[in-house]
Amino acid sequence: MASLASLSHGLVINGLVIGTIQVRGVLRCTLTGVQNAPPISAATVFLTCGGSSTNLGQALTNPAGAFLIVARILDTILFDPSTCIVRVRLPVVTCSVFPPDGVVSATTSLVGVVQTNLGNIANFVTGPFISL
């Protein structure tokens, strides 16, 4: 269970103050989350929370459609796993599907927390990207 502590502490998960958030996923050329759809390469994905247009992080997908978004301690203050999504605008050169609002998005799920000497890292993965 994740909770937001005071602004000086940022995100706390299972009693651990989180210094870095990592969100991994694979973007596919589909509006409905089909897992065997072709991957989308060279697309920019954005991490946003609470319906805000503020981007906490972004990444470019590789040829396999995979990406890793990294957000540091200042951004963890705004990170609430229950309201955060990863989104991308379509169509792009490598995928010509047309979502009604121009965006597909995916929710995030906590995989685990890694404790390091440099701080705690919360690892999240995305679900399938769909058009809402």
Side-chain angles (χ1 to χ4, degrees):
M1 168 83 44
S3 66
L4 289 176
S6 71
L7 291 181
S8 64
H9 291 102
L11 180 66
V12 176
I13 299 176
N14 296 331
L16 299 171
V17 176
I18 303 301
T20 303
I21 298 165
Q22 295 184 345
V23 180
R24 297 175 192 277
V26 176
L27 180 61
R28 299 195 174 276
C29 188
T30 176
L31 297 178
T32 59
V34 175
Q35 292 300 306
N36 62 348
I40 301 175
S41 64
T44 304
V45 295
F46 299 92
L47 175 64
T48 62
C49 295
S52 168
S53 61
T54 302
N55 294 322
L56 299 183
Q58 67 185 48
L60 191 65
T61 59
N62 70 13
F67 62 87
L68 170 64
I69 299 171
V70 178
R72 302 289 179 198
I73 190 161
L74 292 177
D75 297 319
T76 68
I77 293 168
L78 303 173
F79 185 83
D80 177 356
S82 68
T83 67
C84 292
I85 61 169
V86 176
R87 63 180 178 78
V88 63
R89 290 204 157 280
L90 294 179
V92 294
V93 172
T94 56
C95 177
S96 57
V97 299
F98 296 88
D101 64 353
V103 174
V104 291
S105 59
T107 58
T108 61
S109 299
L110 179 66
V111 175
V113 175
V114 176
Q115 294 177 286
T116 73
N117 290 337
L118 299 175
N120 300 316
I121 303 168
N123 291 298
F124 290 82
V125 294
T126 63
F129 282 81
I130 60 171
S131 175
L132 297 176

